[in-house]
């Protein structure tokens, strides 16, 4: 069933962003577009270069898409089929804004981690169950706690005492 404007986030997104708005009922695909989609980032900026390369490799290895990474300076504001990675520079740490439409996708991270998480969220949209029908959405997300944390699982067999001492 097609999602309507204003409906909840696409099911491919995990964790669910804090804010998700369907911009329209339209969808688009990265496959077979003319001109071909490109990823644009300020490649002299390490956070943008990392996020753009992560996204390109992920879409290539998992989605069979070969998107060219170009420097943002070579792309105009009116260029179409651009995935633009930028720095928002404001907002909570590790946060981002993602806007996806049929002609342009903008991934704006508040910091290096935010740029990365924006790229991860877009990869989920582009590679999810409806990858050939990406929803036109606007997402805003940032972690609630100041540190996202991690999970450590002890070994199922063996010396748990030594494991816990090492952790």
């Amino acid at each position: 069933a097609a999602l309507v404007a204003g409906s909840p986030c696409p099911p491919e997104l995990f964790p669910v962003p804090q804010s998700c708005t369907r911009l329209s009922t339209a969808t688009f695909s990265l496959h077979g577009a003319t001109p071909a989609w490109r990823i644009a980032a300020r490649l002299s900026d390490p956070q943008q270069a990392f996020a753009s390369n992560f996204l390109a490799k992920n879409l290539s290895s998992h989605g069979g898409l070969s998107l060219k990474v170009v420097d943002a300076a070579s792309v105009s504001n009116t260029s179409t089929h651009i995935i633009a990675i930028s720095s928002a520079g404001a907002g909570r740490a590790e946060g981002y804004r993602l806007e996806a439409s049929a002609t342009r996708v903008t991934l704006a991270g508040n910091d290096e981690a935010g740029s990365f998480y924006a790229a991860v969220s877009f990869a989920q949209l582009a590679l999810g169950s409806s990858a050939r029908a990406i929803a036109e959405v606007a997402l805003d997300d940032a972690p609630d706690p100041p540190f996202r944390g991690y999970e450590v699982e002890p070994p199922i067999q063996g010396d748990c005492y030594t494991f816990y001492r090492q952790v």
Side-chain angles (χ1 to χ4, degrees):
L3 296 174
V4 296
S7 68
C9 283
E12 293 86 9
L13 293 173
F14 183 81
V16 175
Q18 291 183 354
S19 169
C20 180
T21 305
R22 284 297 304 258
L23 300 175
S24 74
T25 57
T27 61
F28 65 99
S29 176
L30 300 179
H31 296 272
T34 304
W37 282 86
R38 296 174 290 162
I39 301 170
R42 199 174 63 229
L43 299 177
S44 60
D45 180 329
Q47 80 180 43
Q48 291 183 31
F50 178 81
S52 62
N53 288 321
F54 165 83
L55 185 58
K57 288 178 184 174
N58 218 309
L59 294 176
S60 174
S61 62
H62 299 293
L65 288 162
S66 181
L67 302 186
K68 185 176 181 182
V69 175
V70 298
D71 196 273
S74 69
V75 175
S76 74
N77 287 340
T78 59
S79 296
T80 60
H81 294 157
I82 299 295
I83 301 168
I85 297 176
S86 63
S87 299
R92 295 197 328 230
E94 299 184 11
Y96 67 89
R97 171 126 178 114
L98 182 159
E99 289 187 27
S101 74
T103 56
R104 192 175 192 92
V105 174
T106 303
L107 310 176
N110 296 343
D111 54 18
E112 185 172 350
S115 295
F116 173 74
Y117 291 123
V120 168
S121 292
F122 184 70
Q124 288 178 348
L125 288 174
L127 299 171
S129 61
S130 38
R132 293 195 182 257
I134 301 169
E136 290 193 339
V137 295
L139 311 176
D140 287 291
D141 197 21
D144 287 327
F147 176 69
R148 287 187 189 254
Y150 56 90
E151 180 178 345
V152 177
E153 293 187 23
I156 294 172
Q157 296 177 353
D159 184 5
C160 288
Y161 175 75
T162 302
F163 171 79
Y164 284 114
R165 283 187 45 215
Q166 291 173 347
V167 174

